[in-house]
Amino acid sequence: MLLVQLANLPGGPYPFDVHLVEPRPAPGPGLAYSARRQEYLLNVRTTALSAFPNQPDHFARWVAATDSPPCEQQFCSRQVYGRYLQELVSTVLTQPATNGLRFFWHQDSAVAATLTPDGRAATVRLASGTALPSDQVVLALGNFPPLPPAGPDQAYLTHSTYHGNPWAPGALRNIAPQDSVLLIGSGLTAVDVLLGLDADGHTGPVTVVSRNGRWPAEHGPAGLSYPNFYAADLAGMSTVGEVLRAVRHRIREAAAQGIDWRPVLDSLRPSLGKIWAAWPLAEQARFLRHLASIWSVVRHRSPPQNTAAVQGMLDAGIVRMQLGRVRQTVPQGPDLAVQVQQQGQARWLTARHVISCTGPLLDYGRIDSALVTSLREAGLLVPDALRLGMQTNAHGALMDARGQASGVLFTLGPSRRPAYFESTAVPELRQQAAALAQHLAGDWVVE
């Protein structure tokens, strides 16, 4: 999205080149939208997925103008959205932008980024040995795979029926229809895995181990709205308790008027960053301990057809929920034994396949990417205190170990969760991309 926003900057001509470092076969779709399965649906309607903040219907018009499969109830497949992003990026890469910028794709991985002695530029080194001298570097790294979900013995990680990455190509294809399966987690990833199994004709028992026993909430009907009440009710509140009471009061008032809770929460979306930023660190930590899992359930919802499909598997007895936390996973011949603990009591479950459906690793102190490690060890990238991402300033510039904002290194996306908390969905990402493109352009000196 940043690439596309740079190509659409007004003005110029800008005598600069933009280098995209992306090792995947096609730049654009990334991890989330590369899956070649039609049953994996976006959990946001088409009307909210335009790549351009000022053209909210751009994606919907693209779907209508292409041979894309129909989007039932306005929920398209992830594959369709991947095609949309790939087409946008391909257009940028094949021709110079009208503002003079030229774009180059390196199908490679960045392994290090070092600042010049004066700190005013950097050199990005690729796995192939290529060096890219750069005036500005943007870390658009997306999400990293989760840590192993169980210990201390991690021999299971190399077991043939352990699936640590359900998004890997063909990840579910070696699961026979009658095989027993255990999923760790009950969020949107788990829902996608269940839909994939169902599409493959799976009939064997599936156990879903969940800490809270909750599935993602279902999306309500399209077109419902509620007025934003941040300024009236929430501005100036500095504790989680205050905000929670005020939001609950609004939800009760809305319910009395026959208004669903979903549009009440959705009305606050533009203000979520301000609510989060108003909480001191201790309050942010309190939210993460007590409410973050519930927030994830009600905020990141599932399309109605997905909810119906999962309920059908539950009603048929194919899927069952097991409350608890996974403590150990041990190979047991062709199977895997999983220890689940709940309220101090532990029990062992056995399944032929175990699939990790936990969330991404956010802690940049534990991410072992060569690029991240090099920046962290040089003091140029500093994880935040809550281990949600990187420390940055208001423009996404990385803060170094001395607390100084970089004029060279920037980031956007999930790495900016410390600033916004909500920093993973398209509406937030496209706004960050547009703002960062403008900021970068403001630093350019045209001779």
Side-chain angles (χ1 to χ4, degrees):
M1 285 194 173
L2 179 58
L3 197 79
V4 172
Q5 292 295 335
L6 289 170
N8 283 275
L9 281 172
Y14 302 117
F16 301 113
D17 295 336
V18 179
H19 295 266
L20 172 66
V21 179
E22 169 55 74
R24 294 182 177 90
L31 175 64
Y33 310 117
S34 297
R36 301 301 182 191
R37 302 191 66 121
Q38 286 296 328
E39 62 271 17
Y40 288 173
L41 300 182
L42 297 158
N43 66 314
V44 178
R45 289 185 169 92
T46 57
T47 50
L49 289 170
S50 168
F52 303 96
N54 59 349
Q55 301 178 54
D57 63 343
H58 188 271
F59 175 57
R61 288 190 286 107
W62 179 89
V63 171
T66 63
D67 60 351
S68 300
C71 302
E72 183 183 350
Q73 300 182 60
Q74 295 187 340
F75 291 99
C76 291
S77 72
R78 293 177 184 269
Q79 184 178 0
V80 167
Y81 197 64
R83 283 179 52 206
Y84 170 67
L85 295 176
Q86 185 175 339
E87 184 175 302
L88 289 175
V89 173
S90 297
T91 301
V92 171
L93 291 173
T94 54
Q95 57 192 22
T98 56
N99 57 24
L101 291 175
R102 299 186 305 170
F103 298 85
F104 301 89
W105 169 38
H106 302 264
Q107 192 178 356
D108 206 339
S109 298
V111 296
T114 55
L115 292 183
T116 55
D118 63 5
R120 299 178 65 180
T123 297
V124 177
R125 300 196 179 279
L126 309 186
S128 62
T130 299
L132 298 176
S134 308
D135 297 297
Q136 295 157 324
V137 177
V138 178
L139 306 177
L141 304 177
N143 285 315
F144 287 86
L147 291 174
D153 183 359
Q154 296 186 348
Y156 68 93
L157 295 177
T158 58
H159 195 277
S160 61
T161 61
Y162 174 74
H163 308 269
N165 178 12
W167 303 109
L172 310 181
R173 299 302 186 187
N174 69 333
I175 301 177
Q178 70 278 8
D179 284 349
S180 56
V181 178
L182 184 145
L183 309 187
I184 304 174
S186 60
L188 291 170
T189 299
V191 170
D192 281 345
V193 169
L194 290 177
L195 295 173
L197 291 172
D198 188 47
D200 291 343
H202 193 82
T203 57
V206 180
T207 301
V208 179
V209 179
S210 171
R211 297 181 189 180
N212 56 33
R214 299 185 180 95
W215 299 101
E218 179 183 333
H219 272 289
L224 301 179
S225 63
Y226 189 85
N228 182 290
F229 55 96
Y230 171 79
D233 295 12
L234 307 180
M237 289 187 174
S238 59
T239 70
V240 174
E242 289 176 305
V243 173
L244 183 60
R245 285 190 293 273
V247 172
R248 282 176 168 170
H249 176 72
R250 282 284 186 160
I251 289 174
R252 286 193 297 269
E253 279 190 341
Q257 302 171 36
I259 301 172
D260 186 68
W261 59 268
R262 292 168 181 83
V264 179
L265 291 186
D266 292 344
S267 74
L268 290 176
R269 183 162 189 166
S271 309
L272 293 176
K274 290 184 285 188
I275 295 171
W276 173 258
W279 291 337
L281 192 65
E283 287 298 307
Q284 292 178 346
R286 189 189 311 278
F287 174 84
L288 294 175
R289 285 196 306 272
H290 300 295
L291 291 176
S293 62
I294 297 175
W295 174 252
S296 181
V297 167
V298 300
R299 169 69 184 83
H300 301 286
R301 301 173 204 142
S302 192
Q305 52 268 53
N306 285 9
T307 301
V310 172
Q311 189 59 52
M313 298 178 78
L314 289 164
D315 294 342
I318 296 173
V319 176
R320 68 185 180 97
M321 179 79 77
Q322 172 67 53
L323 287 174
R325 184 190 298 261
V326 171
R327 291 301 189 189
Q328 294 186 65
T329 301
V330 180
Q332 199 172 78
D335 297 333
L336 290 162
V338 179
Q339 186 188 51
V340 178
Q341 187 175 52
Q342 182 194 12
Q343 297 180 344
Q345 301 295 316
R347 61 179 300 194
W348 286 90
L349 306 174
T350 302
R352 176 58 52 90
H353 295 266
V354 172
I355 306 174
S356 176
C357 301
T358 56
L361 175 59
L362 307 172
D363 182 357
Y364 272 81
R366 305 177 75 178
I367 290 169
D368 61 2
S369 150
L371 175 62
V372 171
T373 300
S374 77
L375 291 168
R376 188 174 61 225
E377 291 179 348
L380 301 174
L381 183 159
V382 180
D384 71 297
L386 297 176
R387 303 293 169 161
L388 294 175
M390 308 177 192
Q391 291 187 26
T392 64
N393 73 358
H395 299 294
L398 271 60
M399 306 294 291
D400 65 19
R402 300 171 300 164
Q404 300 295 313
S406 175
V408 177
L409 302 171
F410 297 84
T411 190
L412 77 166
S415 54
R416 297 200 66 190
R417 288 192 79 196
Y420 301 109
F421 186 69
E422 288 285 340
S423 190
T424 57
V426 169
E428 286 76 34
L429 299 185
R430 67 188 178 199
Q431 194 61 51
Q432 287 183 31
L436 183 54
Q438 291 285 346
H439 179 74
L440 295 176
D443 289 343
W444 296 343
V445 178
V446 181
E447 296 180 358

